[in-house]
């Protein structure tokens, strides 16, 4: 009898099981329901169950996001094992995967539905300016380690792919309001609509306003707390053109003002404006799943100085990307993917205006997923990027370069290789090797150009790409007794040709000084990831992760300042990080708690009175606790109390201003 | 260069610094590493789910969901033929359980599945069904099913992988401990069934 009740309950769940079925694009929701776990394309470009990917990855689901109590994406990611978050100010945070975090962290590729959303002129991600609401995110996929062979530049520390709800498959109508400490007020709304079976639309809008923390600032930073604001709108249309062809169009706009930590480890008040348009066609053909994508991103950045409201420098960056790929399952044991990509990236110069630095990149990549045995799969991916650099416009008087100096072409290979062995139903073993390419950003290539008396400061054309190689062993074991999984992963990572914006200082024969970008050294990291997660009954879930990592920086002979922000990773990465979470849901209540411990490390702070260079500042080990309580007042209204740094009114987590406790009251309506 | 030759040094640094940069005595280090190993081994040796032979509600869920990924999925109110061998108690019991489970109609989105019991020898007179759901234990009679699905151009799903291997049934599913789906491409072609591309990438095709 008991079995029949269980059966009836299970069958009732089928009411939500029907799928659109003509899917050419990924119907994440239906596939997740079918396979009982999140699915992803972020590891090899082909749909996979998360547990079978030849990469160490995490998937944060929409439920995880909602129950995190976070109010921005870094707040969600800080609970994920192997992800490091530096919370500089109320709205500004930098995120990295497996250490190497820094201001304007450049090693991370961040995508929304496959469109890169990091600020390409400097290679970092201004999280507040991302045109997406938390409530329209289906899942966030975090791939740890290089994945350049699939995604190209910046995917050296890891990839974060934000996947939103698809209006052809998903029905989402929600709105939320919250108020909180630091005079915070925010609102958000997301809605999908279908016209017949063949057209679906989604719109997301959101806004936030708050004050920065009121904790003490360095004298030079006083005046940069001018209030943080954020607004965004995104519109997405998906169309089933035929049974075999889908198309989509997307447009976004965002604007964000925030006090933020810049790479010289001072705070500036910065205004971001972003726009994007994207079109995509996916066709299921006899020769594979063919996908064509084209998009352009525009980002306008105005950095205001520390003591004046006059813009210190501005960057206007445009990126255009055209991609064509074919994913073809040759037979039951072989799947291949071929891809061609063209990318154009340009930015106007600052402080000396009127010049443009740009590059064209032509890329080709292949991926081969080979099921050698039913239990053994080998995946190899290879990519070649050919980058042609260019420059026009005026040059600083003291620069030894001419525009012709930028007429350079570089070809860079990257690869990913992974062997996955699944000897039984519960164990998965991975051996992976990867080489990722981090191309110098446009500022390092010369977009920043300053002439002060005899001193010329700026990027230069001969700085080389940074290469990150990663070798990893991984073991995942599903454990039915705890309704969860154990993971052990060990990796060795080498970073060569680290690029630093102010990497070398030379004196010309005429006596002028040249401070330019340069490749200044190497670094390596050895780390472990131990994690265990599970459930207790139907109501409780928990997780525990320990991710020790040791970074050893090599000699940096060319570096003009040993404590340059961009080069000291050994001291600025905490060795021991422990994350734990515990959640309970019963009746109308949900309660979740998250704890994070970081052992002592050093932060970087601008050297007083110096134009560049930073000092190491000791940061004591700390424990921070976040949490959320949710109460479902009615079927359509949920009230929540969210908090970060619950146990401390203020806490030093970086060498920047001390962060404060943040508490929010929220109301969420589901229509 | 931080080349591979530095790997041993890296491991040494790791062992040295993994506990906050403080050098540990050999005893203390061994104790901590032993502790980590205990955690790993302890977690790994926890029991996993037991083997299972009977069709379960979760199996039925997976079957229904998988049918949604055919390129021309059934819609509205349709019959699903539960095929059983009357002479096999296991097969007959599964058929009865399934009928009870699905009641007078299983609503799944825009699809309502109505169970219809079909004896393996009566496949020719099964009437209009959207798909066949094959119970376990039909054995060699599976060939009769293959002929029927080919004639009626309808798919067959089962948990009996042997019937998929033999081509008698189009799709086999396993739901524990992880969902696995196997499709016999020749049987699918014979039955006039094809699947969405993203679905095909995630299953085993024979």
């Amino acid at each position: 009898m008991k079995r029949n009740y269980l059966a009836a309950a299970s069958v009732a769940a089928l009411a939500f099981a029907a799928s659109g079925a003509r899917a050419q694009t990924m119907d994440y929701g239906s596939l997740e329901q079918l396979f009982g776990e999140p699915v992803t394309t972020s590891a090899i470009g082909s749909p996979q169950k998360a547990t079978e990917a030849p990469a160490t990855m995490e998937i944060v689901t929409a439920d995880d996001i909602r129950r995190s109590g976070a109010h921005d994406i870094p707040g969600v990611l800080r609970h994920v094992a192997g992800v490091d978050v530096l919370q500089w100010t109320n709205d500004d945070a930098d995120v990295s995967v497996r250490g190497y975090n820094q201001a304007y962290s450049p090693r991370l590729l961040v995508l929304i539905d496959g469109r890169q959303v990091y600020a390409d002129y400097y290679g970092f991600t201004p999280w507040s300016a991302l045109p997406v609401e938390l409530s329209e995110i289906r899942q966030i996929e975090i791939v740890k380690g290089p994945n350049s062979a699939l995604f190209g530049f910046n995917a050296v520390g890891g990839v974060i792919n934000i996947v939103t709800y698809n209006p052809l498959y998903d029905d989402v109508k929600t709105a939320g309001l919250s108020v909180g400490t630091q005079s915070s007020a925010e609102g958000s709304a997301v809605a999908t609509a279908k016209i017949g079976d063949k057209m679906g639309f989604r719109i997301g809008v959101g806004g936030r306003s708050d004050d920065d923390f009121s904790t003490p600032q360095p004298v030079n930073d006083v005046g940069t707390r001018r209030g943080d604001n954020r607004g965004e709108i995104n519109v997405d249309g998906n169309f089933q053109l035929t049974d075999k062809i889908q198309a989509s169009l997307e447009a976004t706009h965002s604007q964000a003002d925030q006090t933020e930590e810049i790479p010289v480890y001072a705070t500036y008040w910065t205004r971001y404006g972003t726009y994007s348009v994207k079109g995509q066609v996916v066709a299921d053909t006899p020769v594979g799943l063919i996908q064509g994508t084209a998009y352009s991103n525009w980002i306008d950045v105005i950095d205001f100085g520390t003591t004046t409201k006059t813009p210190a420098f501005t960057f206007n960056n445009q990126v255009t990307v055209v991609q064509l790929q074919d994913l073809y399952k040759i037979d039951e044991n072989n799947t291949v993917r071929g891809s061609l990509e063209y990318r154009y990236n340009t930015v106007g110069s600052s402080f000396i205006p009127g010049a443009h630095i740009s590059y064209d990149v032509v890329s080709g990549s292949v991926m081969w997923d080979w099921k050698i045995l039913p239990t053994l799969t080998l995946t190899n991916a290879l990519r070649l990027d050919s980058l042609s650099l260019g420059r026009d416009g005026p040059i600083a008087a003291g620069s030894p370069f001419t525009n012709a100096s930028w007429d350079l072409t570089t070809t860079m290979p990257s690869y990913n290789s992974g062997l996955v062995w699944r000897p039984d139903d519960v164990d998965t073993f991975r051996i992976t090797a990867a080489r990722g390419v981090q191309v110098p950003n446009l500022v390092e290539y010369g977009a920043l150009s300053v002439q002060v008396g005899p001193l010329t400061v700026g990027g230069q054309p001969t700085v080389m790409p940074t290469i990150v190689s990663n070798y990893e062993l991984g073991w995942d074991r599903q454990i039915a007794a705890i309704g969860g999984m154990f993971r052990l992963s060990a990796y060795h990572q080498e970073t060569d040709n680290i690029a630093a914006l102010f990497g070398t200082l030379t004196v010309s024969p005429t006596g002028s000084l040249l401070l330019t970008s340069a490749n200044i050294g190497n670094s390596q990291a050895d780390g472990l990831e131990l994690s265990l997660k599970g459930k207790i009954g139907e109501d409780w879930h928990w997780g525990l992760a320990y991710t020790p990592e040791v970074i050893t920086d090599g000699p940096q002979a060319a570096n003009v300042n040993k404590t340059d922000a961009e080069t000291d990773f050994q001291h600025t990465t905490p060795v021991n990080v422990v994350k734990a979470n515990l959640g309970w849901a019963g009746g109308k209540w949900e309660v979740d708690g998250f704890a994070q411990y970081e052992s002592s490390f050093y932060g970087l702070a601008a050297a007083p009175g110096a134009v560049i260079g930073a000092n190491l500042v000791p940061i004591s080990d700390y424990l921070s606790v976040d949490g959320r309580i949710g109460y479902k007042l009615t079927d359509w209204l949920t009230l929540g109390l969210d908090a970060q740094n619950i146990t401390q009114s203020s806490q030093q987590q970086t060498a920047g201003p001390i962060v404060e406790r943040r508490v929010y009251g929220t109301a969420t309506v589901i229509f | 260069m931080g080349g591979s030759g530095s790997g041993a040094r890296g491991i040494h640094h790791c062992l040295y610094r993994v506990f906050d940069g403080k050098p540990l005595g050999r005893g203390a280090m061994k104790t901590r590493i032993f502790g980590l190993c205990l955690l790993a081994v302890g977690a790994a040796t926890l029991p996993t789910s037991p083997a299972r032979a009977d069709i379960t509600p979760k199996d039925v869920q997976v079957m229904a969901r998988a049918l949604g990924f055919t390129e021309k999925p059934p819609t509205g109110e349709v019959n699903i033929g539960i095929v059983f061998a009357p002479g096999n108690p296991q097969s007959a019991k599964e058929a009865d359980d399934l009928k009870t489970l699905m009641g007078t109609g299983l609503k799944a989105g825009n699809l309502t599945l109505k169970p219809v019991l079909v004896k393996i020898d009566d496949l020719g007179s099964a009437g209009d069904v959207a798909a066949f759901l094959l119970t376990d234990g039909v054995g060699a009679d599976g060939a009769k099913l293959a002929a029927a699905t080919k004639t009626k151009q309808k798919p067959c799903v089962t948990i009996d992988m042997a019937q998929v291997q033999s081509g008698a049934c189009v799709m086999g599913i396993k739901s524990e401990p992880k969902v696995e789906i196997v499709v016999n491409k020749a049987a699918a072609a014979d039955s006039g069934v094809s699947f969405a591309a993203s679905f095909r990438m995630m299953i085993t095709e024979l």
Side-chain angles (χ1 to χ4, degrees), chain B residues 114-131:
Chain B
K114 298 180 68 175
V116 177
L117 294 184
V118 181
K119 295 175 185 173
I120 190 76
D121 291 323
D122 295 341
L123 283 165
S125 57
D128 186 25
V129 296

PDB file of all heavy atoms in Angstrom, chain B residues 114-131:
ATOM      1  N   LYS B 114      -3.483   6.822 -21.327  1.00  0.00           N
ATOM      2  CA  LYS B 114      -4.470   5.899 -20.775  1.00  0.00           C
ATOM      3  C   LYS B 114      -3.938   4.485 -20.928  1.00  0.00           C
ATOM      4  O   LYS B 114      -3.635   4.051 -22.048  1.00  0.00           O
ATOM      5  CB  LYS B 114      -5.811   6.051 -21.512  1.00  0.00           C
ATOM      6  CG  LYS B 114      -6.413   7.446 -21.354  1.00  0.00           C
ATOM      7  CD  LYS B 114      -7.730   7.563 -22.078  1.00  0.00           C
ATOM      8  CE  LYS B 114      -8.793   6.690 -21.417  1.00  0.00           C
ATOM      9  NZ  LYS B 114     -10.122   6.883 -22.052  1.00  0.00           N
ATOM     10  N   PRO B 115      -3.798   3.758 -19.811  1.00  0.00           N
ATOM     11  CA  PRO B 115      -3.214   2.416 -19.893  1.00  0.00           C
ATOM     12  C   PRO B 115      -4.189   1.417 -20.507  1.00  0.00           C
ATOM     13  O   PRO B 115      -5.374   1.396 -20.173  1.00  0.00           O
ATOM     14  CB  PRO B 115      -2.919   2.082 -18.432  1.00  0.00           C
ATOM     15  CG  PRO B 115      -3.924   2.852 -17.664  1.00  0.00           C
ATOM     16  CD  PRO B 115      -4.175   4.112 -18.429  1.00  0.00           C
ATOM     17  N   VAL B 116      -3.640   0.623 -21.390  1.00  0.00           N
ATOM     18  CA  VAL B 116      -4.415  -0.459 -21.996  1.00  0.00           C
ATOM     19  C   VAL B 116      -3.566  -1.725 -21.903  1.00  0.00           C
ATOM     20  O   VAL B 116      -2.432  -1.749 -22.406  1.00  0.00           O
ATOM     21  CB  VAL B 116      -4.737  -0.164 -23.475  1.00  0.00           C
ATOM     22  CG1 VAL B 116      -5.480  -1.347 -24.095  1.00  0.00           C
ATOM     23  CG2 VAL B 116      -5.538   1.112 -23.611  1.00  0.00           C
ATOM     24  N   LEU B 117      -4.101  -2.753 -21.222  1.00  0.00           N
ATOM     25  CA  LEU B 117      -3.335  -3.994 -21.113  1.00  0.00           C
ATOM     26  C   LEU B 117      -3.407  -4.759 -22.433  1.00  0.00           C
ATOM     27  O   LEU B 117      -4.484  -4.931 -23.016  1.00  0.00           O
ATOM     28  CB  LEU B 117      -3.881  -4.857 -19.975  1.00  0.00           C
ATOM     29  CG  LEU B 117      -3.718  -4.281 -18.557  1.00  0.00           C
ATOM     30  CD1 LEU B 117      -4.210  -5.289 -17.517  1.00  0.00           C
ATOM     31  CD2 LEU B 117      -2.268  -3.911 -18.275  1.00  0.00           C
ATOM     32  N   VAL B 118      -2.252  -5.209 -22.890  1.00  0.00           N
ATOM     33  CA  VAL B 118      -2.175  -5.920 -24.162  1.00  0.00           C
ATOM     34  C   VAL B 118      -1.369  -7.196 -23.947  1.00  0.00           C
ATOM     35  O   VAL B 118      -0.204  -7.148 -23.559  1.00  0.00           O
ATOM     36  CB  VAL B 118      -1.492  -5.061 -25.243  1.00  0.00           C
ATOM     37  CG1 VAL B 118      -1.455  -5.828 -26.572  1.00  0.00           C
ATOM     38  CG2 VAL B 118      -2.196  -3.730 -25.410  1.00  0.00           C
ATOM     39  N   LYS B 119      -2.025  -8.332 -24.211  1.00  0.00           N
ATOM     40  CA  LYS B 119      -1.294  -9.590 -24.137  1.00  0.00           C
ATOM     41  C   LYS B 119      -0.336  -9.673 -25.320  1.00  0.00           C
ATOM     42  O   LYS B 119      -0.653  -9.213 -26.418  1.00  0.00           O
ATOM     43  CB  LYS B 119      -2.263 -10.768 -24.152  1.00  0.00           C
ATOM     44  CG  LYS B 119      -3.176 -10.826 -22.926  1.00  0.00           C
ATOM     45  CD  LYS B 119      -4.187 -11.958 -23.067  1.00  0.00           C
ATOM     46  CE  LYS B 119      -5.177 -11.941 -21.896  1.00  0.00           C
ATOM     47  NZ  LYS B 119      -6.266 -12.917 -22.067  1.00  0.00           N
ATOM     48  N   ILE B 120       0.808 -10.297 -25.058  1.00  0.00           N
ATOM     49  CA  ILE B 120       1.824 -10.356 -26.109  1.00  0.00           C
ATOM     50  C   ILE B 120       1.309 -11.042 -27.363  1.00  0.00           C
ATOM     51  O   ILE B 120       1.737 -10.717 -28.478  1.00  0.00           O
ATOM     52  CB  ILE B 120       3.096 -11.067 -25.564  1.00  0.00           C
ATOM     53  CG1 ILE B 120       4.263 -10.944 -26.536  1.00  0.00           C
ATOM     54  CG2 ILE B 120       2.819 -12.531 -25.259  1.00  0.00           C
ATOM     55  CD1 ILE B 120       4.904  -9.621 -26.538  1.00  0.00           C
ATOM     56  N   ASP B 121       0.368 -11.939 -27.190  1.00  0.00           N
ATOM     57  CA  ASP B 121      -0.175 -12.642 -28.356  1.00  0.00           C
ATOM     58  C   ASP B 121      -1.292 -11.862 -29.051  1.00  0.00           C
ATOM     59  O   ASP B 121      -1.780 -12.275 -30.102  1.00  0.00           O
ATOM     60  CB  ASP B 121      -0.699 -14.028 -27.947  1.00  0.00           C
ATOM     61  CG  ASP B 121       0.437 -14.952 -27.549  1.00  0.00           C
ATOM     62  OD1 ASP B 121       1.514 -14.869 -28.182  1.00  0.00           O
ATOM     63  OD2 ASP B 121       0.269 -15.723 -26.579  1.00  0.00           O
ATOM     64  N   ASP B 122      -1.706 -10.761 -28.425  1.00  0.00           N
ATOM     65  CA  ASP B 122      -2.812  -9.992 -29.002  1.00  0.00           C
ATOM     66  C   ASP B 122      -2.348  -8.654 -29.573  1.00  0.00           C
ATOM     67  O   ASP B 122      -3.147  -7.726 -29.720  1.00  0.00           O
ATOM     68  CB  ASP B 122      -3.892  -9.730 -27.937  1.00  0.00           C
ATOM     69  CG  ASP B 122      -4.549 -11.017 -27.469  1.00  0.00           C
ATOM     70  OD1 ASP B 122      -4.440 -12.029 -28.191  1.00  0.00           O
ATOM     71  OD2 ASP B 122      -5.149 -11.007 -26.384  1.00  0.00           O
ATOM     72  N   LEU B 123      -1.067  -8.531 -29.836  1.00  0.00           N
ATOM     73  CA  LEU B 123      -0.536  -7.242 -30.280  1.00  0.00           C
ATOM     74  C   LEU B 123      -1.212  -6.753 -31.558  1.00  0.00           C
ATOM     75  O   LEU B 123      -1.430  -5.549 -31.744  1.00  0.00           O
ATOM     76  CB  LEU B 123       0.973  -7.359 -30.517  1.00  0.00           C
ATOM     77  CG  LEU B 123       1.827  -7.352 -29.236  1.00  0.00           C
ATOM     78  CD1 LEU B 123       3.232  -7.841 -29.549  1.00  0.00           C
ATOM     79  CD2 LEU B 123       1.859  -5.962 -28.648  1.00  0.00           C
ATOM     80  N   GLY B 124      -1.536  -7.670 -32.426  1.00  0.00           N
ATOM     81  CA  GLY B 124      -2.134  -7.275 -33.699  1.00  0.00           C
ATOM     82  C   GLY B 124      -3.467  -6.585 -33.533  1.00  0.00           C
ATOM     83  O   GLY B 124      -3.861  -5.765 -34.366  1.00  0.00           O
ATOM     84  N   SER B 125      -4.152  -6.902 -32.432  1.00  0.00           N
ATOM     85  CA  SER B 125      -5.478  -6.298 -32.222  1.00  0.00           C
ATOM     86  C   SER B 125      -5.451  -5.260 -31.117  1.00  0.00           C
ATOM     87  O   SER B 125      -6.462  -4.991 -30.464  1.00  0.00           O
ATOM     88  CB  SER B 125      -6.489  -7.396 -31.873  1.00  0.00           C
ATOM     89  OG  SER B 125      -6.042  -8.118 -30.729  1.00  0.00           O
ATOM     90  N   ALA B 126      -4.278  -4.690 -30.901  1.00  0.00           N
ATOM     91  CA  ALA B 126      -4.120  -3.756 -29.777  1.00  0.00           C
ATOM     92  C   ALA B 126      -4.861  -2.448 -29.986  1.00  0.00           C
ATOM     93  O   ALA B 126      -5.039  -1.679 -29.046  1.00  0.00           O
ATOM     94  CB  ALA B 126      -2.648  -3.478 -29.538  1.00  0.00           C
ATOM     95  N   GLY B 127      -5.299  -2.181 -31.152  1.00  0.00           N
ATOM     96  CA  GLY B 127      -5.974  -0.914 -31.390  1.00  0.00           C
ATOM     97  C   GLY B 127      -4.969   0.223 -31.496  1.00  0.00           C
ATOM     98  O   GLY B 127      -3.766   0.014 -31.656  1.00  0.00           O
ATOM     99  N   ASP B 128      -5.473   1.417 -31.357  1.00  0.00           N
ATOM    100  CA  ASP B 128      -4.621   2.595 -31.557  1.00  0.00           C
ATOM    101  C   ASP B 128      -3.904   2.952 -30.258  1.00  0.00           C
ATOM    102  O   ASP B 128      -4.534   3.373 -29.291  1.00  0.00           O
ATOM    103  CB  ASP B 128      -5.471   3.770 -32.030  1.00  0.00           C
ATOM    104  CG  ASP B 128      -4.593   4.955 -32.385  1.00  0.00           C
ATOM    105  OD1 ASP B 128      -3.400   4.731 -32.712  1.00  0.00           O
ATOM    106  OD2 ASP B 128      -5.087   6.089 -32.322  1.00  0.00           O
ATOM    107  N   VAL B 129      -2.606   2.782 -30.236  1.00  0.00           N
ATOM    108  CA  VAL B 129      -1.812   3.170 -29.064  1.00  0.00           C
ATOM    109  C   VAL B 129      -0.698   4.105 -29.523  1.00  0.00           C
ATOM    110  O   VAL B 129      -0.222   4.016 -30.658  1.00  0.00           O
ATOM    111  CB  VAL B 129      -1.208   1.951 -28.341  1.00  0.00           C
ATOM    112  CG1 VAL B 129      -2.309   1.061 -27.774  1.00  0.00           C
ATOM    113  CG2 VAL B 129      -0.291   1.166 -29.255  1.00  0.00           C
ATOM    114  N   ALA B 130      -0.289   4.994 -28.629  1.00  0.00           N
ATOM    115  CA  ALA B 130       0.789   5.932 -28.946  1.00  0.00           C
ATOM    116  C   ALA B 130       2.148   5.280 -28.776  1.00  0.00           C
ATOM    117  O   ALA B 130       3.123   5.655 -29.430  1.00  0.00           O
ATOM    118  CB  ALA B 130       0.695   7.166 -28.059  1.00  0.00           C
ATOM    119  N   ALA B 131       2.222   4.330 -27.858  1.00  0.00           N
ATOM    120  CA  ALA B 131       3.476   3.631 -27.602  1.00  0.00           C
ATOM    121  C   ALA B 131       3.166   2.353 -26.852  1.00  0.00           C
ATOM    122  O   ALA B 131       2.078   2.201 -26.272  1.00  0.00           O
ATOM    123  CB  ALA B 131       4.418   4.504 -26.768  1.00  0.00           C
TER     124      ALA B 131
END
